[in-house]
Amino acid sequence: MEKLIITAAICGAEVTKAQNPAVPYTVEEIVREAKSAVDAGAAIVHLHVREDDGTPTQSHVRFQECEEAIYKVCPDVILIPSTGGAVGMSPDERLDSTNTNPIPEMATLDCGTCNFGDDIFDNTMPTMRAFGKRMIEKGIKPEYECFEMGHLDTILTMARKGEVPGDPMQFNFVLGVPGCTPATVGNLAWMVNQIPAGSTWTVTGVGRAAFPMAATAIAMGGNVRVGFEDNIYLSKGVKAASNGELVAKVVRIAKELGREIATSDEARTILGLKK
Ligand code: KMH
Ligand code: ZN
């Protein structure tokens, strides 16, 4: 089995300090949380950014400020800026996160419209084609975010048509968002069985599914995402003090199961990234 790639989704766009005071808003807080995750064993940080008051923003100026500050303390980390942003943002607004200098190695590409709690997360075919075109032109490797089983079929069809970057594809199965595909072992196994040979995959279990999905992926040979974007609890009723605590728990489970942890450069090799 390949070494385990751990992604830390340190911030998200929806979670607030009222839910967990360690959720980062300012540049300094974002750097603190990124460093805690990387020090604990994360090879990748999935990045959303906020204004100082917590308002989500896709401004490339804010992304660049945060990315430069993170690279100062974590020079090797792989950053995956979000192009999902927050529910309700326009496609152009969302894509602004890819206008940094240098352009990101990777970025998320969300694979279809879905319910998102009480909201609708809008990803029409034209939006996804525009995002795919941008990533092909700029040489950005997408991480394909699949919240629903049907999203996987959609993105595989788009890849076959050359509308989004193809081999090797990296998928993130985000399971357990209210209104989307539930986080079950059966659902994860079905999705993993659909992906092309040579692809890589990660699972994100939302809320209480975070660590059961992590353990499942570790055993199956997949990769794991945890972080405040998806779950603020270390265990039932115990809020995590940092993203590093969530990553450290995944590292402990992996060690118990005999899976080694990938560094960022090892992750680049596994994902087919050039540095
Ligand atoms: N904030 C969610 C609505 C992504 O980063 O690409 C979308 C999201 C996905 O977080
Ligand atoms: Zn995200």
Side-chain angles (χ1 to χ4, degrees):
M1 244 183 230
E2 294 276 18
K3 289 187 179 179
L4 173 68
I5 303 172
I6 303 175
T7 299
I10 60 170
C11 179
E14 285 81 21
V15 66
T16 65
K17 279 188 192 294
Q19 295 166 290
N20 184 326
V23 170
Y25 295 166
T26 67
V27 178
E28 292 70 27
E29 289 167 347
I30 284 185
V31 171
R32 180 199 72 213
E33 287 307 305
K35 185 166 175 6
S36 82
V38 170
D39 287 350
I44 299 176
V45 169
H46 167 53
L47 197 60
H48 289 252
V49 299
R50 311 282 187 105
E51 305 291 356
D52 285 351
D53 66 1
T55 307
T57 174
Q58 288 293 103
S59 156
H60 74 274
V61 176
R62 186 67 162 187
F63 266 93
Q64 185 152 330
E65 192 183 4
C66 290
E67 289 171 9
E68 284 173 358
I70 292 172
Y71 283 134
K72 275 196 185 134
V73 294
C74 308
D76 297 327
V77 69
I78 299 168
L79 294 179
I80 305 187
S82 174
T83 67
V87 166
M89 287 178 171
S90 72
D92 282 348
E93 189 180 1
R94 285 166 49 183
L95 262 189
D96 196 31
S97 61
T98 62
N99 288 327
T100 51
N101 182 14
I103 54 167
E105 292 179 90
M106 295 183 72
T108 60
L109 198 161
D110 296 283
C111 300
T113 296
C114 54
N115 289 311
F116 205 86
D118 288 355
D119 299 310
I120 293 174
F121 183 32
D122 210 350
N123 292 285
T124 63
M125 294 302 294
T127 296
M128 292 189 286
R129 283 189 198 107
F131 283 31
K133 186 165 179 277
R134 170 74 66 93
M135 293 194 201
I136 289 170
E137 283 168 1
K138 291 201 168 189
I140 300 170
K141 181 181 173 82
E143 177 176 76
Y144 293 108
E145 312 292 312
C146 298
F147 298 83
E148 290 273 24
M149 287 172 155
H151 291 178
L152 187 49
D153 185 56
T154 302
I155 207 67
L156 291 176
T157 303
M158 292 182 79
R160 274 194 296 275
K161 290 182 177 169
E163 293 176 331
V164 294
D167 295 338
M169 298 173 82
Q170 157 63 12
F171 301 90
N172 178 25
F173 304 128
V174 185
L175 302 181
V177 171
C180 296
T181 296
T184 68
V185 173
N187 289 343
L188 177 61
W190 183 89
M191 294 179 95
V192 171
N193 283 335
Q194 312 306 310
I195 65 176
S199 308
T200 50
W201 64 274
T202 298
V203 75
T204 300
V206 174
R208 71 189 64 173
F211 295 107
M213 283 292 106
T216 305
I218 291 165
M220 289 173 73
N223 301 296
V224 172
R225 180 175 111 176
V226 286
F228 289 154
E229 178 166 347
D230 313 308
N231 164 52
I232 55 170
Y233 290 97
L234 191 58
S235 56
K236 194 167 181 216
V238 180
K239 288 185 182 175
S242 68
N243 279 277
E245 282 194 349
L246 299 170
V247 171
K249 183 163 173 174
V250 175
V251 170
R252 288 199 298 279
I253 298 168
K255 292 223 161 113
E256 287 292 333
L257 296 178
R259 190 103 186 263
E260 289 182 66
I261 310 300
T263 63
S264 298
D265 277 341
E266 288 168 340
R268 282 189 179 86
T269 303
I270 295 166
L271 295 169
L273 282 170
K274 307 155 211 84
K275 198 186 179 190

